Amino acid sequence: MAQSQPAPRGIALIHPSWPCPQVQNVVATVNLDCRLDLLALSQQARNVEYSRKKFHALIMRIRDPKTTTLVFATGKMVITGAKSAELARLAGRKHARMIQKCGFQTKFMDFKVQNFVASCSTGFYVRLEGIVSRYPDFARYEPEIFPGLVYKIAGANITMLVFTNGKVVITGVKEVDKIYESFAKVYPILLDEKMGDVVRR
Amino acid sequence: MNSEPVYSELYRLGSLGASLIDAIDELVVAQKLEPQVGAQVLRQFDKTMDRGFVGHTKAKMTAKAKLRTYRLCDNVWTFDLRNVTFTMDNREKVEAKRMKIVAVSADPKDTSRKKDD
């Protein structure tokens, strides 16, 4: 590798012949900076659920982007279900506009993605016991408790689930690049423990 | 302080409830019935209708429709449906272009027995 070039980041780490993780879910938070009357909101807005006794937040859903938002009386919102960070932001803005139309002076402050969930299919069977015996510090596999192997990347709070059928789930990531970096680290390990290709009939 | 639980007055809006209200009003106007007694009858009606759905009904009905909007506020569900098709127990079909359903949970655990401020 040439020293003058910057180290490849993010998706560039994934070799073109490798499978690429796809983002399945994004969880983000935003502050509307405005005290909200959830009861009034639940009566005016559409597609909302509010049961005070069950949970102290209003649940609002929109169709496009298909997302669900938890709205708290403090004006803070949690947006879930979006397929990308940009869609999460767009959804957040749409939810905020709905709340604004109900008569609240909303802002759109401190939008932050809290979690990305990505998944990927390697296409081959993986011998999970092999991974555990090689990397006991990072991998945990207890088939009686959960059929998937839990691989925690050293240092970061990132968790990867690896299953025998070769499917991988990456979660706990706050930046998109980290998804690809984590996968790039783990994929060679999976290749070492390859058992056979998954044949689709 | 009124310690008696208050039941939803939802069922007074149906044809059964409306007929009962008409009958009571007639009697009250003709001074054959005191208004307080009439009000007590309606409260009993609310209670009986509320209890009636739990364990006494067995008929089933399926509905297929496009849900435009939904809302849950204080245990009251409101649905706005389009192109509804109801299928009864006896395979009879009832259709409607637009429909609004206002529903309260029949589960006694769910219903809040306190009157809202």
Side-chain angles (χ1 to χ4, degrees):
Chain A
M1 280 251 191
Q3 290 291 355
S4 55
Q5 281 178 330
R9 292 201 64 213
I11 204 163
L13 284 169
I14 305 215
H15 199 268
S17 65
W18 290 3
C20 189
Q22 303 292 323
V23 175
Q24 301 293 345
N25 186 25
V26 177
V27 177
T29 52
V30 75
N31 186 6
L32 302 177
D33 198 36
C34 157
R35 191 94 207 163
L36 301 174
D37 180 358
L38 297 185
L39 200 59
L41 203 54
S42 68
Q43 285 161 356
Q44 285 181 275
R46 292 189 190 179
N47 299 327
V48 291
E49 285 173 65
Y50 182 43
S51 5
R52 271 181 292 189
K53 290 175 122 191
K54 278 197 179 163
F55 190 51
H56 289 276
L58 190 140
I59 305 164
M60 190 191 290
R61 289 182 179 90
I62 55 170
R63 289 198 164 99
D64 177 49
K66 192 165 166 212
T67 49
T68 304
T69 298
L70 301 175
V71 184
F72 294 87
T74 54
K76 296 206 172 151
M77 266 182 14
V78 180
I79 304 140
T80 62
K83 291 283 184 194
S84 75
E86 296 76 24
L87 286 175
R89 198 189 177 93
L90 177 66
R93 286 211 107 100
K94 287 197 178 182
H95 285 280
R97 201 180 313 142
M98 274 178 72
I99 296 170
Q100 197 177 57
K101 282 194 181 167
C102 292
F104 297 96
Q105 299 293 323
T106 61
K107 294 191 203 147
F108 200 77
M109 289 174 31
D110 309 321
F111 177 85
K112 186 184 178 212
V113 171
Q114 301 291 347
N115 188 27
F116 280 101
V117 179
S119 74
C120 171
S121 189
T122 56
F124 53 82
Y125 292 105
V126 180
R127 203 170 65 90
L128 302 179
E129 300 86 351
I131 302 175
V132 173
S133 55
R134 288 238 234 131
Y135 303 93
D137 291 336
F138 307 130
R140 258 190 10 250
Y141 178 45
E142 282 154 278
E144 285 154 40
I145 296 176
F146 187 61
L149 181 149
V150 183
Y151 193 97
K152 293 229 163 149
I153 303 276
N157 201 10
I158 297 172
T159 305
M160 293 182 57
L161 302 174
V162 185
F163 296 88
T164 315
N165 61 358
K167 294 209 175 171
V168 180
V169 175
I170 305 156
T171 186
V173 185
K174 285 213 201 277
E175 292 129 30
V176 209
D177 284 342
K178 291 268 186 305
I179 300 173
Y180 306 111
E181 282 171 28
S182 321
F183 187 70
K185 275 192 197 145
V186 173
Y187 191 67
I189 301 171
L190 303 181
L191 277 173
D192 284 339
E193 302 296 335
K194 176 172 171 174
M195 281 205 289
D197 287 319
V198 177
V199 177
R200 301 258 163 87
R201 269 178 232 115
Chain B
M1 283 295 264
N2 192 14
S3 56
E4 233 275 350
V6 177
Y7 298 87
S8 177
E9 296 181 10
L10 197 62
Y11 303 106
R12 297 191 196 182
L13 299 170
S15 37
L16 200 63
S19 317
L20 180 65
I21 290 177
D22 280 342
I24 291 175
D25 282 345
E26 247 187 70
L27 291 170
V28 169
V29 160
Q31 297 195 332
K32 287 189 183 164
L33 188 74
E34 277 176 52
Q36 297 98 297
V37 181
Q40 184 61 32
V41 172
L42 286 172
R43 276 197 288 275
Q44 181 60 42
F45 172 78
D46 292 337
K47 183 178 175 182
T48 314
M49 288 301 276
D50 185 270
R51 289 282 139 90
F53 286 111
V54 182
H56 291 275
T57 51
K58 289 205 176 80
K60 274 193 193 162
M61 180 187 71
T62 55
K64 213 172 186 182
K66 187 177 169 103
L67 182 73
R68 272 198 119 217
T69 58
Y70 67 88
R71 176 179 288 121
L72 170 65
C73 180
D74 275 339
N75 203 36
V76 179
W77 279 101
T78 308
F79 300 106
D80 184 359
L81 309 169
R82 298 289 155 105
N83 302 326
V84 199
T85 308
F86 284 111
T87 313
M88 313 292 200
D89 253 351
N90 52 3
R91 306 277 189 83
E92 199 186 306
K93 281 196 192 215
V94 178
E95 288 185 3
K97 268 242 150 83
R98 284 187 63 165
M99 187 168 195
K100 188 171 178 181
I101 300 181
V102 182
V104 175
S105 173
D107 192 342
K109 275 189 285 153
D110 266 351
T111 325
S112 161
R113 296 296 184 194
K114 291 191 194 140
K115 195 158 190 184
D116 293 40
D117 295 329

